[in-house]
């Protein structure tokens, strides 16, 4: 996370599907934002489906230290809704469930606006006691390049086997 607050922040999201080093179907989401004139911030996430847990697991960061369980659903207006739940920290032999008292729950909605020809997104991460921790909202368009090999620059530095 980063401490800036701004409006009208240009950003780019690069999504790539691939098979990770453990043979799991994976999608990486690399969000790059320009805050201020020269400040480039990046937020990486890598999602897998955990057949054992029957859920989506989102590994946050380039070293996948934090694993977050996600629920996906569709709202009555057809938006995709993603909500976060349990969180686990992994580093070598160290593994523990992250206390939600010290963390936040994400609530994201995303939909395609036919009239405006763009996607609309709204994300908010809140802590039960301290309130809003992080968020963004806005709109974006997509390009769909031909399938090719995933660039090494968007892969995590380390992959975590534990779900």
């Amino acid at each position: 996370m980063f401490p800036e607050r701004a409006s009208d922040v240009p950003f780019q999201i690069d999504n790539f599907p691939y098979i990770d080093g453990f043979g799991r179907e994976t999608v990486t989401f690399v969000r790059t934002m320009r805050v201020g004139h020269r400040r480039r911030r990046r937020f990486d996430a890598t999602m897998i489906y955990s057949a054992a847990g029957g859920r989506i697991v989102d590994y946050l960061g380039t070293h996948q230290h934090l694993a977050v369980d996600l629920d996906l659903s569709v709202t009555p207006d057809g938006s995709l809704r993603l909500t976060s739940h349990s969180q686990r920290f992994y580093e070598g032999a160290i593994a523990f469930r992250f206390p939600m008292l010290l963390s936040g729950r994400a609530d994201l909605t995303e939909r395609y606006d036919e009239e405006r020809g763009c996607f609309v997104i709204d994300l908010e991460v809140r802590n039960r006691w301290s309130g809003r921790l992080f968020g963004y909202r806005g709109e974006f368009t997509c390009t769909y390049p031909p399938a090719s090999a995933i660039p090494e620059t968007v892969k995590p530095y380390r992959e975590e086997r534990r779900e």
Side-chain angles (χ1 to χ4, degrees):
M1 298 302 191
F2 31 90
E4 290 92 0
R5 179 183 177 112
S7 299
D8 300 322
V9 175
F11 72 96
Q12 177 176 329
I13 301 176
D14 294 301
N15 299 339
F16 291 92
Y18 65 100
I19 303 298
D20 74 4
F22 301 111
R24 302 176 295 196
E25 291 183 350
T26 303
V27 179
T28 187
F29 299 82
V30 177
R31 300 161 186 93
T32 306
M33 302 168 205
R34 295 249 176 233
V35 181
H37 295 308
R38 294 197 169 135
R39 229 174 250 158
R40 184 176 70 100
R41 299 295 190 187
R42 184 169 148 169
F43 182 72
D44 293 24
T46 308
M47 287 185 186
I48 63 143
Y49 175 72
S50 169
R55 65 184 184 275
I56 302 291
V57 177
D58 195 9
Y59 295 104
L60 303 180
T62 58
H63 291 74
Q64 299 189 349
H65 288 109
L66 188 62
V68 179
D69 293 341
L70 301 177
D71 285 336
L72 298 174
S73 60
V74 177
T75 66
D77 74 353
S79 298
L80 171 68
R81 182 163 188 213
L82 177 148
T83 52
S84 69
H85 296 284
S86 245
Q87 301 174 12
R88 293 165 304 288
F89 178 86
Y90 299 128
E91 176 56 44
I94 300 170
F96 61 87
R97 189 169 298 278
F98 205 81
M100 291 308 293
L101 178 67
L102 304 174
S103 189
R105 292 196 187 272
D107 188 6
L108 177 139
T109 56
E110 184 177 309
R111 66 182 173 81
Y112 187 75
D113 186 319
E114 295 281 347
E115 290 179 15
R116 295 181 10 222
C118 65
F119 288 91
V120 178
I121 190 167
D122 188 358
L123 168 75
E124 184 172 70
V125 179
R126 297 186 69 79
N127 175 275
R128 181 181 199 177
W129 307 108
S130 60
R132 190 170 194 264
L133 301 174
F134 175 76
Y136 57 84
R137 68 174 42 111
E139 57 189 50
F140 62 95
T141 58
C142 294
T143 57
Y144 300 94
S148 62
I150 180 173
E152 286 298 316
T153 56
V154 300
K155 281 187 173 181
Y157 293 120
R158 177 179 79 96
E159 293 179 333
E160 178 58 56
R161 175 182 295 276
R162 294 167 288 192
E163 299 173 0

PDB file of all heavy atoms in Angstrom, residues 75-101:
ATOM      1  N   THR A  75     -24.227  -9.164  -8.791  1.00  0.00           N
ATOM      2  CA  THR A  75     -25.260  -8.341  -8.166  1.00  0.00           C
ATOM      3  C   THR A  75     -26.523  -8.341  -9.040  1.00  0.00           C
ATOM      4  O   THR A  75     -26.461  -8.738 -10.214  1.00  0.00           O
ATOM      5  CB  THR A  75     -24.767  -6.893  -7.966  1.00  0.00           C
ATOM      6  OG1 THR A  75     -24.585  -6.302  -9.248  1.00  0.00           O
ATOM      7  CG2 THR A  75     -23.465  -6.863  -7.162  1.00  0.00           C
ATOM      8  N   PRO A  76     -27.659  -7.888  -8.515  1.00  0.00           N
ATOM      9  CA  PRO A  76     -28.888  -7.852  -9.310  1.00  0.00           C
ATOM     10  C   PRO A  76     -28.761  -7.041 -10.613  1.00  0.00           C
ATOM     11  O   PRO A  76     -29.418  -7.359 -11.594  1.00  0.00           O
ATOM     12  CB  PRO A  76     -29.907  -7.202  -8.362  1.00  0.00           C
ATOM     13  CG  PRO A  76     -29.420  -7.578  -6.998  1.00  0.00           C
ATOM     14  CD  PRO A  76     -27.915  -7.542  -7.107  1.00  0.00           C
ATOM     15  N   ASP A  77     -27.871  -6.033 -10.639  1.00  0.00           N
ATOM     16  CA  ASP A  77     -27.718  -5.249 -11.879  1.00  0.00           C
ATOM     17  C   ASP A  77     -26.688  -5.851 -12.835  1.00  0.00           C
ATOM     18  O   ASP A  77     -26.373  -5.276 -13.864  1.00  0.00           O
ATOM     19  CB  ASP A  77     -27.387  -3.788 -11.575  1.00  0.00           C
ATOM     20  CG  ASP A  77     -25.957  -3.565 -11.091  1.00  0.00           C
ATOM     21  OD1 ASP A  77     -25.225  -4.555 -10.854  1.00  0.00           O
ATOM     22  OD2 ASP A  77     -25.569  -2.390 -10.940  1.00  0.00           O
ATOM     23  N   GLY A  78     -26.151  -7.035 -12.494  1.00  0.00           N
ATOM     24  CA  GLY A  78     -25.209  -7.716 -13.376  1.00  0.00           C
ATOM     25  C   GLY A  78     -23.750  -7.405 -13.112  1.00  0.00           C
ATOM     26  O   GLY A  78     -22.868  -7.897 -13.810  1.00  0.00           O
ATOM     27  N   SER A  79     -23.455  -6.598 -12.098  1.00  0.00           N
ATOM     28  CA  SER A  79     -22.073  -6.288 -11.752  1.00  0.00           C
ATOM     29  C   SER A  79     -21.398  -7.498 -11.122  1.00  0.00           C
ATOM     30  O   SER A  79     -22.052  -8.304 -10.459  1.00  0.00           O
ATOM     31  CB  SER A  79     -22.003  -5.137 -10.739  1.00  0.00           C
ATOM     32  OG  SER A  79     -22.539  -3.957 -11.263  1.00  0.00           O
ATOM     33  N   LEU A  80     -20.096  -7.596 -11.313  1.00  0.00           N
ATOM     34  CA  LEU A  80     -19.289  -8.595 -10.612  1.00  0.00           C
ATOM     35  C   LEU A  80     -18.991  -8.021  -9.236  1.00  0.00           C
ATOM     36  O   LEU A  80     -18.608  -6.854  -9.113  1.00  0.00           O
ATOM     37  CB  LEU A  80     -17.983  -8.838 -11.367  1.00  0.00           C
ATOM     38  CG  LEU A  80     -16.949  -9.696 -10.654  1.00  0.00           C
ATOM     39  CD1 LEU A  80     -17.445 -11.131 -10.544  1.00  0.00           C
ATOM     40  CD2 LEU A  80     -15.626  -9.649 -11.400  1.00  0.00           C
ATOM     41  N   ARG A  81     -19.187  -8.830  -8.207  1.00  0.00           N
ATOM     42  CA  ARG A  81     -18.880  -8.388  -6.852  1.00  0.00           C
ATOM     43  C   ARG A  81     -17.870  -9.341  -6.235  1.00  0.00           C
ATOM     44  O   ARG A  81     -18.026 -10.561  -6.298  1.00  0.00           O
ATOM     45  CB  ARG A  81     -20.126  -8.353  -5.982  1.00  0.00           C
ATOM     46  CG  ARG A  81     -19.792  -7.836  -4.589  1.00  0.00           C
ATOM     47  CD  ARG A  81     -21.003  -7.404  -3.844  1.00  0.00           C
ATOM     48  NE  ARG A  81     -20.575  -6.755  -2.615  1.00  0.00           N
ATOM     49  CZ  ARG A  81     -21.256  -6.814  -1.504  1.00  0.00           C
ATOM     50  NH1 ARG A  81     -22.396  -7.451  -1.455  1.00  0.00           N
ATOM     51  NH2 ARG A  81     -20.805  -6.198  -0.435  1.00  0.00           N
ATOM     52  N   LEU A  82     -16.852  -8.788  -5.668  1.00  0.00           N
ATOM     53  CA  LEU A  82     -15.790  -9.550  -5.024  1.00  0.00           C
ATOM     54  C   LEU A  82     -15.689  -9.063  -3.583  1.00  0.00           C
ATOM     55  O   LEU A  82     -15.621  -7.853  -3.345  1.00  0.00           O
ATOM     56  CB  LEU A  82     -14.490  -9.287  -5.775  1.00  0.00           C
ATOM     57  CG  LEU A  82     -13.218  -9.901  -5.279  1.00  0.00           C
ATOM     58  CD1 LEU A  82     -12.322 -10.178  -6.474  1.00  0.00           C
ATOM     59  CD2 LEU A  82     -12.523  -9.007  -4.302  1.00  0.00           C
ATOM     60  N   THR A  83     -15.712  -9.996  -2.638  1.00  0.00           N
ATOM     61  CA  THR A  83     -15.532  -9.631  -1.233  1.00  0.00           C
ATOM     62  C   THR A  83     -14.434 -10.506  -0.637  1.00  0.00           C
ATOM     63  O   THR A  83     -14.326 -11.685  -0.965  1.00  0.00           O
ATOM     64  CB  THR A  83     -16.833  -9.803  -0.417  1.00  0.00           C
ATOM     65  OG1 THR A  83     -17.344 -11.110  -0.620  1.00  0.00           O
ATOM     66  CG2 THR A  83     -17.879  -8.784  -0.834  1.00  0.00           C
ATOM     67  N   SER A  84     -13.617  -9.908   0.205  1.00  0.00           N
ATOM     68  CA  SER A  84     -12.509 -10.639   0.809  1.00  0.00           C
ATOM     69  C   SER A  84     -12.897 -11.146   2.192  1.00  0.00           C
ATOM     70  O   SER A  84     -13.781 -10.596   2.849  1.00  0.00           O
ATOM     71  CB  SER A  84     -11.266  -9.759   0.896  1.00  0.00           C
ATOM     72  OG  SER A  84     -11.452  -8.723   1.838  1.00  0.00           O
ATOM     73  N   HIS A  85     -12.178 -12.197   2.599  1.00  0.00           N
ATOM     74  CA  HIS A  85     -12.440 -12.816   3.896  1.00  0.00           C
ATOM     75  C   HIS A  85     -11.119 -13.127   4.581  1.00  0.00           C
ATOM     76  O   HIS A  85     -10.256 -12.282   4.672  1.00  0.00           O
ATOM     77  CB  HIS A  85     -13.319 -14.059   3.721  1.00  0.00           C
ATOM     78  CG  HIS A  85     -14.668 -13.705   3.184  1.00  0.00           C
ATOM     79  ND1 HIS A  85     -15.664 -13.138   3.941  1.00  0.00           N
ATOM     80  CD2 HIS A  85     -15.179 -13.789   1.928  1.00  0.00           C
ATOM     81  CE1 HIS A  85     -16.730 -12.898   3.194  1.00  0.00           C
ATOM     82  NE2 HIS A  85     -16.454 -13.283   1.964  1.00  0.00           N
ATOM     83  N   SER A  86     -10.939 -14.358   4.995  1.00  0.00           N
ATOM     84  CA  SER A  86      -9.753 -14.804   5.722  1.00  0.00           C
ATOM     85  C   SER A  86      -8.455 -14.411   5.031  1.00  0.00           C
ATOM     86  O   SER A  86      -8.363 -14.451   3.811  1.00  0.00           O
ATOM     87  CB  SER A  86      -9.786 -16.327   5.806  1.00  0.00           C
ATOM     88  OG  SER A  86      -9.919 -16.734   7.112  1.00  0.00           O
ATOM     89  N   GLN A  87      -7.464 -14.076   5.844  1.00  0.00           N
ATOM     90  CA  GLN A  87      -6.155 -13.685   5.318  1.00  0.00           C
ATOM     91  C   GLN A  87      -5.072 -14.455   6.073  1.00  0.00           C
ATOM     92  O   GLN A  87      -5.134 -14.601   7.280  1.00  0.00           O
ATOM     93  CB  GLN A  87      -5.952 -12.187   5.484  1.00  0.00           C
ATOM     94  CG  GLN A  87      -7.014 -11.388   4.758  1.00  0.00           C
ATOM     95  CD  GLN A  87      -6.927  -9.908   5.026  1.00  0.00           C
ATOM     96  OE1 GLN A  87      -5.957  -9.426   5.574  1.00  0.00           O
ATOM     97  NE2 GLN A  87      -7.955  -9.185   4.633  1.00  0.00           N
ATOM     98  N   ARG A  88      -4.082 -14.921   5.300  1.00  0.00           N
ATOM     99  CA  ARG A  88      -2.979 -15.673   5.890  1.00  0.00           C
ATOM    100  C   ARG A  88      -1.653 -15.077   5.449  1.00  0.00           C
ATOM    101  O   ARG A  88      -1.521 -14.645   4.302  1.00  0.00           O
ATOM    102  CB  ARG A  88      -3.050 -17.143   5.447  1.00  0.00           C
ATOM    103  CG  ARG A  88      -4.271 -17.834   6.031  1.00  0.00           C
ATOM    104  CD  ARG A  88      -4.588 -19.128   5.352  1.00  0.00           C
ATOM    105  NE  ARG A  88      -4.782 -19.085   3.907  1.00  0.00           N
ATOM    106  CZ  ARG A  88      -5.840 -18.551   3.279  1.00  0.00           C
ATOM    107  NH1 ARG A  88      -6.800 -17.963   3.977  1.00  0.00           N
ATOM    108  NH2 ARG A  88      -5.939 -18.595   1.971  1.00  0.00           N
ATOM    109  N   PHE A  89      -0.690 -15.080   6.349  1.00  0.00           N
ATOM    110  CA  PHE A  89       0.660 -14.593   6.058  1.00  0.00           C
ATOM    111  C   PHE A  89       1.581 -15.799   5.899  1.00  0.00           C
ATOM    112  O   PHE A  89       1.535 -16.731   6.700  1.00  0.00           O
ATOM    113  CB  PHE A  89       1.166 -13.705   7.203  1.00  0.00           C
ATOM    114  CG  PHE A  89       2.558 -13.208   6.976  1.00  0.00           C
ATOM    115  CD1 PHE A  89       2.778 -12.055   6.238  1.00  0.00           C
ATOM    116  CD2 PHE A  89       3.648 -13.891   7.491  1.00  0.00           C
ATOM    117  CE1 PHE A  89       4.074 -11.596   6.019  1.00  0.00           C
ATOM    118  CE2 PHE A  89       4.945 -13.444   7.284  1.00  0.00           C
ATOM    119  CZ  PHE A  89       5.151 -12.287   6.541  1.00  0.00           C
ATOM    120  N   TYR A  90       2.439 -15.770   4.863  1.00  0.00           N
ATOM    121  CA  TYR A  90       3.396 -16.846   4.607  1.00  0.00           C
ATOM    122  C   TYR A  90       4.774 -16.264   4.356  1.00  0.00           C
ATOM    123  O   TYR A  90       4.937 -15.361   3.544  1.00  0.00           O
ATOM    124  CB  TYR A  90       3.010 -17.650   3.358  1.00  0.00           C
ATOM    125  CG  TYR A  90       1.670 -18.327   3.430  1.00  0.00           C
ATOM    126  CD1 TYR A  90       0.742 -18.154   2.411  1.00  0.00           C
ATOM    127  CD2 TYR A  90       1.339 -19.162   4.481  1.00  0.00           C
ATOM    128  CE1 TYR A  90      -0.487 -18.793   2.456  1.00  0.00           C
ATOM    129  CE2 TYR A  90       0.113 -19.802   4.532  1.00  0.00           C
ATOM    130  CZ  TYR A  90      -0.791 -19.622   3.506  1.00  0.00           C
ATOM    131  OH  TYR A  90      -1.996 -20.250   3.556  1.00  0.00           O
ATOM    132  N   GLU A  91       5.770 -16.812   5.060  1.00  0.00           N
ATOM    133  CA  GLU A  91       7.180 -16.489   4.787  1.00  0.00           C
ATOM    134  C   GLU A  91       8.004 -17.665   5.262  1.00  0.00           C
ATOM    135  O   GLU A  91       8.155 -17.873   6.467  1.00  0.00           O
ATOM    136  CB  GLU A  91       7.605 -15.199   5.478  1.00  0.00           C
ATOM    137  CG  GLU A  91       9.079 -14.869   5.297  1.00  0.00           C
ATOM    138  CD  GLU A  91       9.523 -14.779   3.844  1.00  0.00           C
ATOM    139  OE1 GLU A  91       8.799 -14.174   3.028  1.00  0.00           O
ATOM    140  OE2 GLU A  91      10.584 -15.328   3.522  1.00  0.00           O
ATOM    141  N   GLY A  92       8.520 -18.434   4.304  1.00  0.00           N
ATOM    142  CA  GLY A  92       9.291 -19.624   4.662  1.00  0.00           C
ATOM    143  C   GLY A  92       8.461 -20.552   5.520  1.00  0.00           C
ATOM    144  O   GLY A  92       7.331 -20.883   5.179  1.00  0.00           O
ATOM    145  N   ALA A  93       9.003 -20.969   6.657  1.00  0.00           N
ATOM    146  CA  ALA A  93       8.295 -21.882   7.553  1.00  0.00           C
ATOM    147  C   ALA A  93       7.219 -21.174   8.374  1.00  0.00           C
ATOM    148  O   ALA A  93       6.385 -21.815   9.001  1.00  0.00           O
ATOM    149  CB  ALA A  93       9.295 -22.552   8.494  1.00  0.00           C
ATOM    150  N   ILE A  94       7.226 -19.854   8.364  1.00  0.00           N
ATOM    151  CA  ILE A  94       6.249 -19.086   9.148  1.00  0.00           C
ATOM    152  C   ILE A  94       4.936 -18.984   8.379  1.00  0.00           C
ATOM    153  O   ILE A  94       4.917 -18.620   7.209  1.00  0.00           O
ATOM    154  CB  ILE A  94       6.776 -17.666   9.456  1.00  0.00           C
ATOM    155  CG1 ILE A  94       8.067 -17.757  10.261  1.00  0.00           C
ATOM    156  CG2 ILE A  94       5.714 -16.844  10.165  1.00  0.00           C
ATOM    157  CD1 ILE A  94       8.775 -16.440  10.394  1.00  0.00           C
ATOM    158  N   ALA A  95       3.852 -19.325   9.054  1.00  0.00           N
ATOM    159  CA  ALA A  95       2.519 -19.217   8.473  1.00  0.00           C
ATOM    160  C   ALA A  95       1.528 -18.965   9.597  1.00  0.00           C
ATOM    161  O   ALA A  95       1.552 -19.659  10.609  1.00  0.00           O
ATOM    162  CB  ALA A  95       2.159 -20.486   7.721  1.00  0.00           C
ATOM    163  N   PHE A  96       0.687 -17.936   9.430  1.00  0.00           N
ATOM    164  CA  PHE A  96      -0.347 -17.699  10.431  1.00  0.00           C
ATOM    165  C   PHE A  96      -1.516 -16.960   9.798  1.00  0.00           C
ATOM    166  O   PHE A  96      -1.374 -16.298   8.776  1.00  0.00           O
ATOM    167  CB  PHE A  96       0.198 -16.919  11.642  1.00  0.00           C
ATOM    168  CG  PHE A  96       0.741 -15.552  11.319  1.00  0.00           C
ATOM    169  CD1 PHE A  96      -0.082 -14.433  11.291  1.00  0.00           C
ATOM    170  CD2 PHE A  96       2.093 -15.386  11.041  1.00  0.00           C
ATOM    171  CE1 PHE A  96       0.429 -13.178  11.003  1.00  0.00           C
ATOM    172  CE2 PHE A  96       2.606 -14.131  10.750  1.00  0.00           C
ATOM    173  CZ  PHE A  96       1.774 -13.029  10.736  1.00  0.00           C
ATOM    174  N   ARG A  97      -2.671 -17.134  10.416  1.00  0.00           N
ATOM    175  CA  ARG A  97      -3.882 -16.415   9.997  1.00  0.00           C
ATOM    176  C   ARG A  97      -3.750 -14.983  10.510  1.00  0.00           C
ATOM    177  O   ARG A  97      -3.465 -14.766  11.678  1.00  0.00           O
ATOM    178  CB  ARG A  97      -5.121 -17.086  10.555  1.00  0.00           C
ATOM    179  CG  ARG A  97      -6.408 -16.530   9.999  1.00  0.00           C
ATOM    180  CD  ARG A  97      -7.592 -17.397  10.384  1.00  0.00           C
ATOM    181  NE  ARG A  97      -7.516 -18.746   9.855  1.00  0.00           N
ATOM    182  CZ  ARG A  97      -7.861 -19.109   8.623  1.00  0.00           C
ATOM    183  NH1 ARG A  97      -8.295 -18.212   7.785  1.00  0.00           N
ATOM    184  NH2 ARG A  97      -7.773 -20.363   8.243  1.00  0.00           N
ATOM    185  N   PHE A  98      -3.940 -14.028   9.632  1.00  0.00           N
ATOM    186  CA  PHE A  98      -3.804 -12.627   9.988  1.00  0.00           C
ATOM    187  C   PHE A  98      -5.064 -12.183  10.714  1.00  0.00           C
ATOM    188  O   PHE A  98      -6.170 -12.365  10.211  1.00  0.00           O
ATOM    189  CB  PHE A  98      -3.598 -11.799   8.708  1.00  0.00           C
ATOM    190  CG  PHE A  98      -2.878 -10.519   8.934  1.00  0.00           C
ATOM    191  CD1 PHE A  98      -1.492 -10.494   9.027  1.00  0.00           C
ATOM    192  CD2 PHE A  98      -3.564  -9.323   9.061  1.00  0.00           C
ATOM    193  CE1 PHE A  98      -0.805  -9.316   9.236  1.00  0.00           C
ATOM    194  CE2 PHE A  98      -2.891  -8.138   9.271  1.00  0.00           C
ATOM    195  CZ  PHE A  98      -1.512  -8.137   9.357  1.00  0.00           C
ATOM    196  N   PRO A  99      -4.938 -11.591  11.892  1.00  0.00           N
ATOM    197  CA  PRO A  99      -6.141 -11.177  12.636  1.00  0.00           C
ATOM    198  C   PRO A  99      -6.892 -10.061  11.899  1.00  0.00           C
ATOM    199  O   PRO A  99      -6.305  -9.053  11.517  1.00  0.00           O
ATOM    200  CB  PRO A  99      -5.605 -10.656  13.966  1.00  0.00           C
ATOM    201  CG  PRO A  99      -4.131 -10.877  13.956  1.00  0.00           C
ATOM    202  CD  PRO A  99      -3.714 -11.289  12.600  1.00  0.00           C
ATOM    203  N   MET A 100      -8.191 -10.275  11.678  1.00  0.00           N
ATOM    204  CA  MET A 100      -8.993  -9.281  10.960  1.00  0.00           C
ATOM    205  C   MET A 100      -9.083  -7.964  11.728  1.00  0.00           C
ATOM    206  O   MET A 100      -9.319  -6.930  11.140  1.00  0.00           O
ATOM    207  CB  MET A 100     -10.380  -9.831  10.647  1.00  0.00           C
ATOM    208  CG  MET A 100     -10.351 -10.953   9.615  1.00  0.00           C
ATOM    209  SD  MET A 100      -9.456 -10.534   8.087  1.00  0.00           S
ATOM    210  CE  MET A 100     -10.504  -9.272   7.399  1.00  0.00           C
ATOM    211  N   LEU A 101      -8.862  -8.004  13.029  1.00  0.00           N
ATOM    212  CA  LEU A 101      -8.840  -6.779  13.818  1.00  0.00           C
ATOM    213  C   LEU A 101      -7.782  -5.817  13.290  1.00  0.00           C
ATOM    214  O   LEU A 101      -7.933  -4.605  13.336  1.00  0.00           O
ATOM    215  CB  LEU A 101      -8.559  -7.111  15.293  1.00  0.00           C
ATOM    216  CG  LEU A 101      -8.452  -5.930  16.245  1.00  0.00           C
ATOM    217  CD1 LEU A 101      -9.810  -5.251  16.384  1.00  0.00           C
ATOM    218  CD2 LEU A 101      -7.960  -6.383  17.596  1.00  0.00           C
TER     219      LEU A 101
END
